[in-house]
Amino acid sequence: MTVAAWFITQEQDRRKTLARSHAEIKGQLTLDGPAGEVIFTARADRIDQDEEGGLDIIDYKTGGVPSRKQ
């Protein structure tokens, strides 16, 4: 089985129990630290919610490896 065929099969199975699926969702979390607030930001490629309310955060890795500077 090719990776593409495996992925399609997995997606078909996953979608049978999905209540919702959201793409390109941005989020932010602010925490108090010893030196002040720390703000974490992120963007999920996809967040799926199942029928029971559980969430799966999916982040596809399609880019290259970060450079040394990054």
Side-chain angles (χ1 to χ4, degrees):
M1 176 182 286
T2 66
V3 173
W6 173 85
F7 181 81
I8 290 168
T9 300
Q10 293 296 314
E11 278 298 301
Q12 289 171 334
D13 290 343
R14 170 184 283 282
R15 290 176 186 269
K16 291 175 186 174
T17 61
L18 282 185
R20 292 185 190 115
S21 185
H22 306 278
E24 300 291 325
I25 298 295
K26 294 180 182 179
Q28 179 175 308
L29 174 66
T30 303
L31 300 175
D32 289 324
E37 286 187 342
V38 178
I39 301 172
F40 295 92
T41 59
R43 180 180 46 84
D45 291 328
R46 193 167 106 195
I47 299 178
D48 290 346
Q49 183 176 9
D50 65 28
E51 295 168 336
E52 297 176 5
L55 298 172
D56 291 320
I57 300 172
I58 301 168
D59 188 44
Y60 298 108
K61 296 297 179 202
T62 57
V65 177
S67 69
R68 213 177 255 285
K69 184 177 179 180
Q70 291 172 322

